[in-house]
Amino acid sequence: MAGGGIAPSKGKAYPGNMTCKVFVTCIVAAMGGLIFGYDIGISGGVISMPLFLKKFFPDVWRKEQGMSPSTNQYCTYNSETLTLFTSSLYFAALLASFVASSVTRACGRRVSMVIGGTLFLAGSAVNGFAQNVLMLIIGRLLLGFGIGFANQSVPVYLSEMAPYRYRGALNMVFQLSITIGILGANLLNYFMANLKYGWRISLGCAAVPGIIFIVGSLLLPDTPNSLIERGKREEAKIMLQKIRGIRDVDEEFDDLVIASEESKKVQHPWANIMKEKNRPQLTFAMLIPFFQQFTGINVIMFYAPVLFKTIGFGSTASLMSAVITGLVNCLSTLVSIAIVDRFGRRGLFLEGGSQMLIMQLAIAAAIGAKFGVSGNPGSLPKGYALAVVAMICVYVAGFAWSWGPLGWLVPSEIFPLEVRSAGQSINVSVNMIFTFVVAQIFPVMLCKLKFGLFLFFSFFVVIMTIFIYKFFPETKGVPIEEMAIVWSRHPYWRKFVPAPDNIDDDRKPGSGRIGIEIVKKEQDC
Ligand code: BGC
């Protein structure tokens, strides 16, 4: 189990500081997020560049230039190969995340990171020098394999290196770096749009974060948890002393050894995760990434420039609008990092969901009123266009401080140790499957549902917000090894998770200091 070494907190406060080594770890992890974000942002920009379309997708280019009989603008970008260009990456990432899980466990987190970076670098070279659609797709597949390895190993690496007090914040730094990657790609697309080989530079520049990621991964040490898991206890202890910046790490080290041994006893984490006592966590590990993708965010992230062009913006205005939404996405993530541990997960989920819903309805009404179903806007008044961009920005902000970062944070903090890694694999895979699905269905849905596309996603936002309201208990401030108490006290999930006294292992919820405090507080109320 890749994440098998995360130590139980049991209410303990391990000594140790945020050292320089751990800080560098953050930077490397940030590179892992950047390569993912860069790819999310780059494809939509290049497919809105006429020179790129003319070379690789001449049919779409002809439609865009008005040379083709299709008059409905909603359908301009409805091309199977064009869609494949965007979505193939996520399919490859999905496949790679399964393989990466075993490599990460057997060879260490760092090896997976280096493999991921190398595949990614190869993909950016193939794309930068692409001569035909086949090369483009092969390049995208290589990028996707790289991202699958990186997304599997980096979050595990992070949570194992981080002092436990900083685990939540470090987790969200990963999401922040995804948004920085998207913004960087949007900016580059904006500046490259009018250059003859601008699209080559946009695609090829993925090599820059790729190289930094490989070099960083080669220089970094492996985690103590992984070293213990592979029988290198001496090395692991020295490493732990180095990253915590102190000599006395015995308590944490002993817990890591126990955790590793406990996790080795679980021969079949996949069978274990299906047990009734894991029902609530499993439900969230599947539904949270599904719902995250069905907020419709990637319609904006992948296709913002195309969407803006469809609703009547010029090429440059479309790319500029994508830069603006990218900036809002990034800044709003900072808001989430700042308040998530005070405001709580539930509050953010509910507020973000309501904000997205209102904006989706407003956007559908605005686009519908101007376009109707014929998809011919004539000229779009400037004030009208600005209002649509503003509504999209408010929608993106709602996502970026709720379902964006929480979509990664919550599944990583709710599972008991013995099935945590399996749970994370489920989260990554479900996320990639539905990222692929949304990328694949957007152009055809825009063509068929027209402005109703936003209504389609708003339906899911209603469902997910009600679901959170009824079924998600607050997890803020609860150490991960104490999390079972949260489920056992929930009016619905208590059916599946035994009350603390009936839990038969030594990780009884509430057994640690903080757990006892929670129980006390609830009794006081
Ligand atoms: C999602 C991505 C999305 C990004 C936007 C991430 O949490 O998993 O699919 O593109 O947020 O910032």
Side-chain angles (χ1 to χ4, degrees):
M1 233 181 19
I6 301 168
S9 71
K10 293 179 181 170
K12 291 174 185 173
Y14 301 127
N17 313 309
M18 179 71 149
T19 57
C20 183
K21 256 198 157 52
V22 172
F23 183 73
V24 175
T25 303
C26 286
I27 307 292
V28 173
M31 288 303 133
L34 272 190
I35 61 175
F36 182 38
Y38 189 88
D39 278 307
I40 291 173
I42 212 74
S43 55
V46 292
I47 63 181
S48 77
M49 294 181 191
L51 291 174
F52 175 79
L53 285 179
K54 192 175 174 189
K55 180 165 174 67
F56 296 105
F57 305 97
D59 290 352
V60 180
W61 180 75
R62 273 193 291 277
K63 276 198 242 168
E64 206 195 49
Q65 301 298 311
M67 296 177 201
S68 153
S70 166
T71 49
N72 193 329
Q73 254 182 265
Y74 287 120
C75 301
T76 305
Y77 298 92
N78 187 14
S79 143
E80 271 167 30
T81 31
L82 189 66
T83 308
L84 198 64
F85 168 69
T86 303
S87 63
S88 50
L89 184 147
Y90 302 94
F91 184 65
L94 167 70
L95 297 183
S97 68
F98 291 123
V99 183
S101 148
S102 320
V103 176
T104 303
R105 186 180 186 188
C107 313
R109 290 69 175 128
R110 213 172 58 122
V111 170
S112 277
M113 285 155 69
V114 175
I115 295 177
T118 310
L119 289 166
F120 187 87
L121 187 62
S124 51
V126 175
N127 265 350
F129 292 106
Q131 297 303 326
N132 48 43
V133 176
L134 184 66
M135 277 182 84
L136 277 184
I137 305 281
I138 292 175
R140 293 285 286 175
L141 289 173
L142 286 168
L143 292 171
F145 290 135
I147 286 173
F149 271 89
N151 279 10
Q152 169 72 27
S153 49
V154 170
V156 174
Y157 185 89
L158 263 178
S159 47
E160 292 179 346
M161 290 300 256
Y164 77 103
R165 288 191 300 273
Y166 302 101
R167 192 154 49 225
L170 284 182
N171 191 301
M172 281 204 171
V173 167
F174 185 67
Q175 168 72 14
L176 179 68
S177 60
I178 294 177
T179 64
I180 295 174
I182 297 175
L183 177 63
N186 290 338
L187 273 169
L188 198 69
N189 279 336
Y190 177 73
F191 289 112
M192 294 300 129
N194 296 320
L195 303 184
K196 189 167 177 213
Y197 290 114
W199 62 267
R200 277 199 195 282
I201 301 176
S202 280
L203 293 178
C205 273
V208 176
I211 291 172
I212 303 176
F213 184 55
I214 298 175
V215 175
S217 309
L218 283 172
L219 292 179
L220 283 176
D222 224 329
T223 66
N225 318 53
S226 175
L227 292 168
I228 294 172
E229 206 171 28
R230 289 178 288 141
K232 303 179 180 175
R233 289 199 184 178
E234 278 301 298
E235 251 180 77
K237 188 154 186 182
I238 296 169
M239 183 53 59
L240 192 60
Q241 287 168 333
K242 276 192 192 157
I243 61 174
R244 297 290 175 256
I246 47 168
R247 285 202 58 77
D248 180 14
V249 290
D250 291 353
E251 195 182 9
E252 183 172 3
F253 182 75
D254 290 345
D255 278 347
L256 290 184
V257 172
I258 294 169
S260 166
E261 274 162 10
E262 272 182 21
S263 84
K264 274 185 193 152
K265 277 190 222 149
V266 178
Q267 295 291 331
H268 305 291
W270 295 103
N272 204 291
I273 207 168
M274 297 298 166
K275 287 191 179 158
E276 199 165 74
K277 64 174 182 164
N278 290 319
R279 190 68 50 82
Q281 297 92 326
L282 183 62
T283 308
F284 283 98
M286 289 165 69
L287 284 183
I288 286 191
F290 167 79
F291 282 144
Q292 190 206 51
Q293 290 307 313
F294 274 82
T295 55
I297 187 65
N298 281 327
V299 160
I300 309 293
M301 294 300 139
F302 296 158
Y303 295 115
V306 161
L307 192 74
F308 287 125
K309 263 189 155 181
T310 303
I311 60 176
F313 288 37
S315 253
T316 317
S318 298
L319 288 167
M320 187 27 107
S321 308
V323 170
I324 295 170
T325 53
L327 194 61
V328 169
N329 187 24
C330 189
L331 295 179
S332 309
T333 307
L334 288 174
V335 174
S336 194
I337 293 178
I339 66 174
V340 67
D341 286 319
R342 271 178 292 145
F343 198 60
R345 283 72 163 144
R346 254 176 84 83
L348 285 175
F349 268 133
L350 297 177
E351 193 286 331
S354 315
Q355 183 170 329
M356 283 190 287
L357 175 65
I358 296 169
M359 286 305 120
Q360 280 168 324
L361 297 178
I363 296 165
I367 300 182
K370 191 71 196 158
F371 271 55
V373 282
S374 69
N376 192 353
S379 67
L380 202 64
K382 209 169 173 193
Y384 208 91
L386 284 178
V388 173
V389 175
M391 287 186 271
I392 291 184
C393 285
V394 180
Y395 160 81
V396 168
F399 172 87
W401 57 55
S402 62
W403 284 88
L406 296 177
W408 295 103
L409 175 62
V410 169
S412 79
E413 66 181 12
I414 55 177
F415 278 100
L417 174 71
E418 63 273 16
V419 288
R420 192 167 300 145
S421 177
Q424 271 175 4
S425 298
I426 292 177
N427 179 38
V428 174
S429 329
V430 175
N431 198 301
M432 290 301 143
I433 291 172
F434 289 103
T435 306
F436 171 79
V437 168
V438 170
Q440 192 68 33
I441 62 177
F442 164 78
V444 73
M445 278 182 47
L446 181 64
C447 179
K448 298 261 185 287
L449 291 181
K450 307 177 169 69
F451 61 87
L453 176 71
F454 290 95
L455 298 179
F456 171 82
F457 286 113
S458 70
F459 166 77
F460 286 97
V461 174
V462 172
I463 307 280
M464 66 187 82
T465 308
I466 296 174
F467 175 76
I468 293 291
Y469 179 73
K470 283 196 78 67
F471 295 106
F472 182 70
E474 184 54 74
T475 55
K476 156 189 102 167
V478 184
I480 46 180
E481 302 305 333
E482 313 279 335
M483 204 57 83
I485 196 169
V486 165
W487 309 109
S488 68
R489 288 175 168 262
H490 187 271
Y492 180 76
W493 298 118
R494 68 196 318 164
K495 280 191 257 183
F496 303 99
V497 182
D501 288 340
N502 303 334
I503 292 181
D504 55 12
D505 65 19
D506 70 341
R507 290 180 302 96
K508 283 178 190 169
S511 62
R513 182 169 41 77
I514 305 180
I516 289 167
E517 276 165 15
I518 296 168
V519 177
K520 269 204 200 133
K521 261 189 207 152
E522 291 191 4
Q523 282 166 352
D524 289 349
C525 293

